Amino acid sequence: MAPPAGLPSVTFPLSPLFAVSLGGALTSGAAASIYYRGGVSRGDNLRWEINGTAGDIVLTSSNGNFQVADLTLSGGRGDDTTVQPLTVSDSYFADVPRDLAGPAHNVAQLYAQNARDLAEHTSLVPDFRHALHRHRFIDTVNRAASTGVRQLVPAGGVTA
């Protein structure tokens, strides 16, 4: 994609600094791995697979920014040899027009959930506690990377 008129075109080589790879075991004993990279792919820019003994779920998007992406959900189980697109229930779109797309849809969903949180005294919309948890987790990942020592994350999340 060309830069806006008047701005120079700059190319940055892809390097390990643009990628993070994590691996570990969940408290259930299941293996988990995550690979996150910057840049743009000619394939899926977001691909999240959950593979289990009963089936597979795959979430994809051409946009790698999960929070603003229009997502495609696919799944397969039993004798299926491939995953097929799954229909997301209309109940997930009850408060927001389904024809909204991209950032507008996601912001509308957050506002609708925030209204439900206030009315129902729940806390499903990300808030400061969510941000603090994420930053503590990132610090734990950085500590593992800088020391070369495996770090344990408590089942309830990173609290220190």
Side-chain angles (χ1 to χ4, degrees):
M1 178 163 78
L7 294 178
S9 177
V10 179
T11 301
F12 294 96
L14 190 60
S15 75
L17 297 176
F18 291 98
V20 175
S21 180
L22 305 173
L26 305 178
T27 55
S28 66
S33 65
I34 298 171
Y35 178 74
Y36 189 86
R37 60 148 177 77
V40 178
S41 169
R42 288 169 188 83
D44 297 328
N45 277 290
L46 172 79
R47 184 174 186 86
W48 182 9
E49 287 193 37
I50 301 173
N51 310 112
T53 54
D56 304 291
I57 295 175
V58 180
L59 194 66
T60 58
S61 176
S62 61
N63 182 333
N65 291 321
F66 191 90
Q67 65 275 17
V68 296
D70 290 318
L71 304 170
T72 300
L73 181 64
S74 301
R77 60 180 166 187
D79 293 332
D80 295 343
T81 57
T82 62
V83 294
Q84 298 297 320
L86 299 173
T87 302
V88 177
S89 169
D90 285 336
S91 66
Y92 290 102
F93 299 90
D95 299 326
V96 176
R98 196 156 187 174
D99 61 340
L100 284 176
H105 178 262
N106 295 326
V107 170
Q109 286 283 18
L110 280 172
Y111 274 102
Q113 182 59 56
N114 191 47
R116 283 191 301 275
D117 280 352
L118 292 171
E120 299 169 8
H121 306 289
T122 57
S123 181
L124 299 176
V125 171
D127 59 11
F128 181 79
R129 288 176 304 207
H130 291 90
L132 181 61
H133 175 82
R134 295 297 170 263
H135 280 273
R136 287 179 172 165
F137 180 76
I138 291 168
D139 286 343
T140 301
V141 170
N142 285 334
R143 192 167 39 257
S146 65
T147 64
V149 176
R150 182 174 126 183
Q151 303 291 308
L152 299 178
V153 178
V158 181
T159 56

